[in-house]
């Protein structure tokens, strides 16, 4: 996946808000890429452009041809009128996979993510964490070439979050052909998961920094405290600080 | 059993207001504050209701009104649901139909009856067509709102996985709009009953509306009240 010179703006009344400006980056096949940035930097807009839901005003997006791109949203990625099993297999159903085959494929995922026995439950009966895990299963079952994640685990408590991260990474390593782009504002999360971190500026979003995370895998929570990781974290935070300084310039003190 | 206790409590609360009104009414007549010619006491009304039921007049009229309302409602509701979804899904449909729908919706349906009778004849067809039209317009607006309220994210998700328009309709739009289709059915059937009774009042075809009109003309106010009650009873459930 490659995008170049992306520009998106929204009209609100007489004003135009530029969400993205001259945004250029590319992913390597099978890479786990994280994008961090201050809130309101157009991260969600970027993912929606990459997923093909928004047409950019300028610039180009190149996706691997004929391959599926799936976006997992921050919330509302499960249908309230479908139960766990139906939600998990929704993508497969849309792709025309038969019922028996859908259930057969879903079962190991439901077990792995701790949802076995909850197949008949509806989202209203589930915790936020469970709902997001169902959304992750739904996306993984569709076997996308490019998986876009918009802070899918933001609503989770930290323990559950690390557990789901662990599962996600294990799956990703097993099926190494998948490219993942994760949007987050949590630097630790980006460091633990990704091969590379891009830092976006405040709106209009563009890339202000890029940090290669060449730490060995598997990584655990304790790896966050090694000198190498801390050095990487400092670099990301410096880029973020630059992004924040732009924010301060855009809103002079007192504003 | 807490559920049954809860049910009893809500039932008691629901019956409180009508019971108070009826008691006050009865007392008003007994104390000669209310004129029994205009306000026959509830005790008389109950007797009249029983008599009318026993003679078969009331059940017959009720059945006629309900049947007419239902026969007009069913096709109207089906077309309304289809139109509502079409409006919700297609921008072209929306731009084309929404202004006319809004205009038509606010028009008193009864005003169309003479035209319908000219075209379709003075028989039952014209009445049913009018009920169907009224139902259809109200249903369309309910379902349209329901479809429009569906989070676009759900539609995008389904498209993301390559859903065909038919799949999208069956798996996203229809279930997403279902709560509004239910409310629509409830509200719209009430409208179908109202139109049905109004048509009877105007054309004198058999049914509750006709009975109400006859009763008011012959000054039998107790019969009038019984039928008005029954009608609101039908509508309330």
């Amino acid at each position: 996946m490659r995008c170049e010179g992306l520009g998106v703006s929204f009209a609100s009344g007489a004003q135009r808000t530029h969400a993205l400006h001259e945004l250029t980056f590319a992913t390597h096949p099978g890479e786990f890429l994280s994008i961090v940035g201050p809130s309101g930097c157009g991260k969600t807009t970027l993912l929606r452009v990459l997923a093909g839901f928004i047409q950019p005003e300028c610039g180009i997006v190149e996706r691997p041809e004929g391959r599926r791109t799936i976006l997992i949203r921050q919330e509302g990625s499960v249908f309230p009128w479908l139960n766990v099993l139906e939600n998990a297999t929704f993508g497969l159903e849309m792709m025309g996979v038969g019922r028996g085959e859908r259930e057969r494929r879903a079962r190991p995922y439901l077990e792995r993510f701790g949802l076995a026995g909850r197949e008949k439950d509806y989202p209203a009966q589930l915790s936020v964490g469970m709902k997001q895990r169902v959304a992750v299963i739904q996306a993984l079952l569709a076997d996308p070439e490019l998986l876009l994640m918009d802070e899918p685990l933001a609503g989770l408590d930290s323990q559950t979050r690390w557990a789901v991260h662990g599962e996600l990474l294990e799956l990703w390593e097993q099926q190494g052909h998948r490219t993942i782009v994760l949007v987050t504002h949590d630097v630790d999360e980006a460091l633990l998961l990704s091969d590379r971190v891009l830092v976006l500026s405040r709106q209009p979003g563009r890339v202000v920094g890029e940090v290669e995370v060449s730490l060995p895998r598997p990584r655990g929570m304790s790896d966050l405290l090694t000198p190498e990781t801390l050095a990487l974290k400092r670099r990301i935070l410096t880029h973020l600080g630059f992004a924040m300084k732009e924010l301060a310039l855009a809103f002079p003190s007192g504003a | 059993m807490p559920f049954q206790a809860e049910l009893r409590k809500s039932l008691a609360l629901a019956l409180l207001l009508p019971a108070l009104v009826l008691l006050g009414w009865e007392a008003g007549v007994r104390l000669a504050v209310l004129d029994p010619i205009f306000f026959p006491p509830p005790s008389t009304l109950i007797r009249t209701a029983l008599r009318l039921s026993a003679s078969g007049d009331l059940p017959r009229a009720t059945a006629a009104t309900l049947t007419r309302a239902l026969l007009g409602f069913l096709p109207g509701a089906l077309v309304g649901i289809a139109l509502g979804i079409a409006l919700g899904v297609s921008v072209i449909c929306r731009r084309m139909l929404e202004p006319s729908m809004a205009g038509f919706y606010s028009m008193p349906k009864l005003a169309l009856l003479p035209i319908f009778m000219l075209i379709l004849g003075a028989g039952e067809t014209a009445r049913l067509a009018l009920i169907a039209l009224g139902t259809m317009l109200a249903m369309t607006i309910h379902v349209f709102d329901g479809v429009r309220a569906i989070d676009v994210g759900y539609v995008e998700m389904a498209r993301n996985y390559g859903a065909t328009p038919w799949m999208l309709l069956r798996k996203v739009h229809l279930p997403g709009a279902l709560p509004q289709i239910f409310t629509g059915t409830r509200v719209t059937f009430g409208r179908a009953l109202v139109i049905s009774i109004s048509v009877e009042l105007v054309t004198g075809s058999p049914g509750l509306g006709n009975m109400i009109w006859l009763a008011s003309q012959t000054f039998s106010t107790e019969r009038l009240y019984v039928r008005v009650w029954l009608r609101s009873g039908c509508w309330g459930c």
Side-chain angles (χ1 to χ4, degrees):
Chain A
M1 198 274 308
R2 189 174 75 87
C3 61
E4 204 177 302
L6 283 188
V8 175
S9 65
F10 300 105
S12 52
Q15 263 181 319
R16 272 204 100 70
T17 313
H18 291 271
L20 301 175
H21 181 68
E22 285 287 316
L23 191 89
T24 301
F25 73 94
T27 58
H28 314 308
E31 178 189 34
F32 199 129
L33 176 72
S34 288
I35 297 177
V36 296
S39 52
C41 69
K43 288 175 291 194
T44 299
T45 307
L46 173 61
L47 285 191
R48 289 171 56 79
V49 170
L50 297 184
F53 298 149
I54 301 178
Q55 287 305 314
E57 278 148 41
C58 51
I60 46 159
V61 181
E62 269 174 25
R63 272 181 297 261
E65 214 158 303
R67 290 292 185 57
R68 220 168 277 282
T69 301
I70 302 292
L71 169 66
I72 305 179
R73 291 197 290 164
Q74 198 164 358
E75 49 191 34
S77 269
V78 291
F79 296 94
W81 54 81
L82 298 180
N83 66 28
V84 167
L85 184 63
E86 289 162 344
N87 260 306
T89 57
F90 179 81
L92 291 179
E93 190 181 359
M94 293 300 111
M95 290 155 69
V97 178
R99 177 186 293 270
E101 176 64 14
R102 291 203 296 268
E103 292 190 21
R104 197 187 61 73
R105 285 201 220 168
R107 197 154 302 121
Y109 283 86
L110 289 169
E111 265 161 33
R112 184 186 271 267
F113 284 93
L115 287 159
R118 304 295 300 263
E119 290 88 348
K120 297 273 176 266
D121 286 356
Y122 282 86
Q125 295 163 272
L126 303 179
S127 66
V128 182
M130 285 177 168
K131 277 189 251 188
Q132 287 307 75
R133 277 180 270 163
V134 173
V136 168
I137 297 174
Q138 186 193 70
L140 289 176
L141 276 174
D143 194 25
E145 181 59 25
L146 176 60
L147 184 59
L148 307 170
M149 300 198 284
D150 187 3
E151 299 196 60
L153 309 178
L156 273 64
D157 62 274
S158 53
Q159 270 108 343
T160 322
R161 194 151 145 177
W162 294 120
V164 176
H165 281 155
E167 296 297 346
L168 197 63
L169 276 181
E170 209 177 297
L171 281 170
W172 177 71
E173 269 156 35
Q174 278 172 15
Q175 315 164 314
H177 57 285
R178 183 172 289 142
T179 312
I180 298 183
V181 176
L182 169 77
V183 152
T184 179
H185 57 240
D186 184 338
V187 177
D188 286 344
E189 185 172 85
L191 280 170
L192 269 185
L193 293 174
S194 33
D195 298 319
R196 196 154 57 100
V197 178
L198 293 182
V199 181
L200 285 200
S201 67
R202 161 85 199 168
Q203 226 168 46
R206 59 195 169 75
V207 180
V208 290
E210 180 182 342
V211 173
E212 205 74 44
V213 186
S214 47
L215 301 168
R217 292 178 188 274
R219 304 171 191 163
M221 291 278 269
S222 53
D223 295 324
L224 282 174
L225 300 170
T226 62
E228 298 96 306
T229 321
L230 287 173
L232 289 173
K233 186 171 181 176
R234 188 170 299 121
R235 279 180 58 199
I236 296 174
L237 288 175
T238 311
H239 287 307
L240 266 178
F242 176 64
M244 297 308 273
K245 215 175 288 157
E246 285 200 335
L247 178 67
L249 286 175
F251 295 94
S253 60
Chain B
M1 273 170 247
F3 174 69
Q4 284 189 347
E6 195 67 25
L7 196 71
R8 261 203 300 276
K9 212 163 87 186
S10 71
L11 198 66
L13 278 175
L15 289 176
L16 189 64
L17 186 65
L20 281 178
V21 169
L22 289 181
L23 269 176
W25 185 344
E26 185 81 34
V29 179
R30 299 268 160 117
L31 297 170
V33 180
L34 293 172
D35 185 344
I37 296 201
F38 297 112
F39 301 100
S43 51
T44 316
L45 294 181
I46 290 165
R47 244 173 292 135
T48 312
L50 290 176
R51 208 182 56 241
L52 285 172
S53 315
S55 73
D57 283 354
L58 203 54
R60 242 194 320 278
T62 312
T65 300
L66 279 175
T67 312
R68 180 174 298 124
L70 206 62
L71 282 179
F73 171 80
L74 284 177
L78 283 180
V79 175
I81 292 172
L83 256 181
I85 289 176
L87 280 172
V89 172
S90 148
V91 184
I92 296 174
C93 268
R94 196 176 313 161
R95 293 205 178 127
M96 211 164 71
L97 295 175
E98 206 184 358
S100 321
M101 293 284 306
F104 244 138
Y105 180 71
S106 52
M107 178 187 250
K109 263 31 115 221
L110 215 55
L112 289 173
L113 187 62
I115 303 170
F116 273 53
M117 283 171 76
L118 272 179
I119 300 168
L120 299 168
E124 193 68 9
T125 322
R127 293 170 209 145
L128 289 180
L130 196 71
I131 298 169
L133 179 73
T135 306
M136 189 269 279
L137 290 171
M139 195 58 138
T140 305
I141 287 172
H142 273 282
V143 177
F144 173 36
D145 272 351
V147 174
R148 214 167 29 169
I150 298 172
D151 185 344
V152 258
Y154 291 140
V155 178
E156 288 176 350
M157 247 165 85
R159 288 219 181 103
N160 220 196
Y161 292 113
T164 59
W166 169 242
M167 289 270 236
L168 204 61
L169 179 73
R170 226 162 45 91
K171 291 287 164 183
V172 181
H173 289 125
L174 215 50
L178 207 57
Q180 279 283 46
I181 294 179
F182 280 132
T183 353
T185 305
R186 228 180 92 113
V187 175
T188 318
F189 189 65
R191 288 178 72 93
L193 266 179
V194 170
I195 300 175
S196 176
I197 288 166
S198 317
V199 166
E200 288 160 13
L201 275 167
V202 175
T203 63
S205 40
L208 282 175
N210 188 37
M211 276 185 97
I212 292 172
W213 188 79
L214 271 179
S216 79
Q217 290 303 298
T218 54
F219 234 88
S220 41
T221 40
E222 73 278 4
R223 296 189 180 205
L224 184 71
Y225 277 113
V226 167
R227 284 141 201 170
V228 173
W229 276 5
L230 199 71
R231 173 187 131 173
S232 60
C234 291
W235 192 7
C237 57

